[in-house]
C-alpha cells in the first residue's frame, strides 16, 4: 500500500485530514446515519478494509478507511483509502493505473471491518504482484477438521 498517491479532493474537503474519533461518527460524517453509527473505528478513527476480487474471490489487499474514504468509495465507483503514514486520502490507481472498480461494499457483523469487492485492473500490490499476499506464505502447521 505504499503507492504514491495523488490526494483525492471533493468540494469543500482537504486532502489532509485527521480521521473521526473511534467513539462514533463525527457530527459532520458524510455517511448515512445508520452506517456511521454501526462502524466501530480504531483509536485513529479508521476501519480495516479487506479488498477482494469480485469474480475470483482472491483477497487482494488490506487498506484503511475513515468515514470520508468510505463515503468516497461508496459514491464514486473507485476505492479510496486513508493513508496512516502520510495522513491523507489516496485513490487506488491514480498514479499506477492499477484501478480498483467498486462492485460492492459490506460491513462485518461487528462493524469493525469492511469487505470491498472490486474489479482490479493490474497489480493490487505496490510491489507489482497481483495481490499483497503473493509469495509471502508463512510456515505453519496445517490443521484438519475432525
Amino acid at each position: 500500500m505504499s503507492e504514491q498517491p495523488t490526494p483525492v479532493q471533493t468540494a469543500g474537503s482537504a486532502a489532509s485530514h485527521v480521521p473521526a474519533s473511534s467513539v462514533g461518527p463525527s457530527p459532520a460524517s458524510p455517511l448515512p446515519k445508520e452506517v456511521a453509527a454501526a462502524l466501530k473505528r480504531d483509536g485513529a478513527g479508521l476501519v480495516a478494509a479487506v479488498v477482494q476480487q469480485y469474480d475470483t474471490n482472491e483477497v487482494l489487499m488490506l487498506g484503511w478507511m475513515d468515514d470520508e474514504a468510505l463515503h468516497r468509495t461508496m459514491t464514486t465507483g473507485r476505492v479510496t483509502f486513508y493513508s496512516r503514514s502520510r495522513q491523507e486520502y489516496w485513490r487506488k490507481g491514480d498514479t499506477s493505473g492499477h484501478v480498483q472498480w467498486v462492485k460492492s461494499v459490506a460491513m462485518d457483523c461487528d462493524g469493525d471491518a469492511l469487505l470491498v469487492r472490486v474489479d482490479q485492473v493490474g497489480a493490487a500490490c505496490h510491489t507489482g504482484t497481483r495481490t499483497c499476499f503473493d509469495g509471502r506464505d508463512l510456515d505453519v502447521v496445517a490443521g484438519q477438521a475432525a
Side-chain angles (χ1 to χ4, degrees), residues 49-53 58-63 79 81 100 116 118:
V50 177
V51 181
Q52 181 181 44
Q53 176 65 31
E58 290 172 284
V59 175
L60 301 172
M61 61 178 287
L62 172 77
V79 180
F81 297 103
Q100 292 176 339
V116 183
V118 303

Side-chain angles (χ1 to χ4, degrees), residues 16-26 39-48 63-69 81-89 112:
S16 239
H17 167 75
V18 176
S21 157
S22 64
V23 175
S26 69
L39 278 178
K40 291 183 185 156
R41 301 155 190 82
D42 69 9
L46 302 173
V47 62
W64 296 93
M65 294 183 180
D66 66 356
D67 287 21
E68 179 63 27
F81 297 103
Y82 183 80
S83 170
R84 297 177 300 167
S85 60
R86 292 181 302 274
Q87 297 186 349
E88 65 185 12
Y89 296 106
D112 59 3

